[in-house]
Amino acid sequence: MEKAALFFKKLRRTFRKVMRPIKKTAGTVGTALLCVFLVAVLSITIIGSAFTVYIVNLMEGTSEVVLDNVSSSYTTYIYAQDSSGEWIPYDILTSEGEKRIWCQLEDIPEMVQDAFVYSEDERYWSHDGVDFQGILSALYDTITGFKRGGSTITQQTVKNLTGDKEVDHFGGIARKLREVYRAVQLEKKYSKDDILETYLNIIPLNNNIYGVQAAANYYYNKDVSELSLAEAVSIAAITRSPYFNDPITHPENNRERFEIILNLMLENGVISTVEYDQAMNEELHLIGSMSYAKTEDNQKIDASQLSAYDNFDDVSSYYVDSVINQCCDIFMDKYGITWEEAYEKLRSGGYEVYTCVDLDLQKKIEEKYLDYYTFSEDGNHDVPQSAFIVMNYSGQVLAVVGGIGPKEAPLCLNRATQSARQPGSAIKPLASYSLAIDKDIITWSTRFLDVPLLIKDTSMENGYGGAWPRNYSTTGAYRTSWSKDFNFTYQCLQRSLNTTAAQIVELLTPAACFEQLYYKLHLDTLVLYKDGKTDVARSPMSVGALTEGVTLQDMAAAYQIFGNGGYYYDSTFVTRILDNSGEVVYNHRYTGEMVLSESSAYVMNRLMETVVSGSRGTARKAKLDGVELIAKTGTTQDWNDLWFMGCTPEYVTGLWIGHDTPKEIDTDNCYGSPDMWSNIFKDIAENEEIKTFKPSSDVVTREFCTVTGLVAGENCTSTSTGYYKRTNIPGVCSGEHLGDNIPSGTTVIVTDGVDTDEFEQMTGEHYNYRFDILN
């Protein structure tokens, strides 16, 4: 026992000797390890604190996302009525050409919703805005540079609304943190349905298409409510990579994604095996063009049906451009903003704009303007430019085309509404004849001598004054002399004699004519005084030599008065505008202003009818079969502009021909205005339901003496029929015609300071001279 005890004692002594240095070493290492541990803890604490401060600062600087006004900052619809009277979208306006059509969630079928949920975020209904598995994947993707989806529908909604899409390195991490924070906050404030509705309306789906409604419209020419399961899934399949999953340009990629989504929907029990099989086997009929609506018989309307322009999806029609410009003018006046601000407000404000367009008529006119044979016998492309406008007798513009050939860009020059040109003789019914008829100064058979005024005015021809004006010949050259014959009022208008117009303006005074045009007929491009020039003068009021010209739209609006009993209505492309809440922003007032008595308007109507039916009428080549046409042509100095203003019982039309930079029109290369008008509108006009103009009960017909212009008496052997206001019927002819000679005492209107000897020497005749009245 003692030996054993001694042995263990020695063993313990040896063990202590051995362990002494080990303990010493272990103490040193332990201390070091403890220090390392403490340093690590301290570092992590510091880093964690700094990161916490960074996160707090980041969150404080991150604005919350709101959904309240998303739909109001959206697509503006431009509506037209189809042939059945149903309002259908004619065009849509969005910022930067994007196609966006807002659709309420209840109008989006559940299977469409499911297709997107199981394409992008199958746990959407259970998470609180963030799928942390997806977040980790996204962070990993950011670090490694590998791209794949990981965000929830809520996060994608945040990203699409904020435009916060940075993905590189630390910027990508910061963006992801902001996105997570915003997504969580969004789900606290809004319901899942609210978020899903927003998502389904803003998701990009290639080709500048945003949202399921616009996508259904573009890819399948359908409303979203009409989509089949297969069609819905094919659209949902676009989302991960819109360009490469486009079902039209990359059908294989789309199909691969399509099958993944369909399988997920089946696995999650939202579709049956029967539905799955039907969708897998359905043949898709893709369109790839914006469709706008369906008619009552379920016939779809796409761009090719609404416009003759192949590129209507991109460039819009001249009519749509005119609507946009009018809306901008309305907004500028209403809100006191610039045109650019008004245009952006219109594009992004979610307005509903209701127009006056006749879709069928608009397309027909467009087709005519795309065909060069409309303008020349051989279809020569080297023709002047042209514009055409059609309106009804309440000022509603039904169709407009602003140029020959394909339309290349939206909001390009519209020569019908934006080009002010001199109207030439087309001004005569407005400025002189109608006013003189209305004031009972002239009648149907008032006699006018085809001689000029003798004017002492150094601003007129030849620099020293003299005989003015000269008449145009039908070939475009000035006549070197005047016929010196008498013509009745209707003959003067038929032949568009400049001398007669000048004489009537002299009777009325240029100031009275200007007042009629500017204040009553609203030709507001006329110049009262500018840079030493004025339109209150003989030449502008007599032959249309206006300082700055007039637009075709304004001329057509003025010509309404000859077919509606003397009423002027403001021309308009727009009937009303509603904002995104349905409140009326603008309602066009159809309040006509009587600027000409009904009887005067009808006498003018009959006078202008002879311009078409008369043997020497300047518009005789445009005569219609079975439908009345009243018209006036116009030619400007140096043959720079040709006009044709034509009114049928249903339509007011205007045609302009010329070069954008004024120069002489080579009529060998193009038709004249009556032929051109006939090529454009004859087939349309001859199909009108109303064939004749409504007569006035205050206008009577009388036989007049073709020698004196008085009502024919018993001894008058040569008579013709004229139209007269009951208030202004000429006296009865005595029958003393002195053979075929003109009675003595013939008068000529001259201006103050005339050298009558010089005048008689020029004409070779002797006359009486007056300053106030013709007969």
Side-chain angles (χ1 to χ4, degrees), residues 527-534 547-548:
V527 172
L528 181 61
Y529 184 83
K530 181 179 180 181
D531 300 329
K533 298 180 180 179
T534 180
T547 304
E548 295 186 351

Side-chain angles (χ1 to χ4, degrees), residues 303-304 306-312 362-364 366-367 370:
S304 64
L306 296 175
S307 174
Y309 299 118
D310 292 336
N311 55 351
F312 180 57
Q362 175 69 22
K363 187 176 180 183
K364 286 179 179 178
E366 289 173 356
E367 288 171 346
L370 289 172

Side-chain angles (χ1 to χ4, degrees), residues 145-215:
F146 179 72
K147 302 290 191 299
R148 65 179 177 184
S151 299
T152 66
I153 282 177
T154 310
Q155 289 174 267
Q156 290 184 52
T157 302
V158 167
K159 182 166 61 176
N160 288 327
L161 287 176
T162 62
D164 192 359
K165 299 178 181 180
E166 189 173 357
V167 296
D168 295 332
H169 307 301
F170 291 107
I173 295 173
R175 191 270 301 169
K176 182 58 70 173
L177 291 171
R178 289 193 297 271
E179 184 182 287
V180 168
Y181 171 75
R182 283 168 165 160
V184 171
Q185 297 303 312
L186 195 66
E187 294 236 3
K188 289 180 180 179
K189 188 174 183 179
Y190 297 96
S191 69
K192 287 282 189 180
D193 282 351
D194 291 336
I195 296 169
L196 183 60
E197 178 180 302
T198 301
Y199 170 79
L200 291 174
N201 278 289
I202 66 175
I203 183 71
L205 295 166
N206 207 33
N207 299 297
N208 258 351
I209 303 297
Y210 290 79
V212 294
Q213 181 67 281

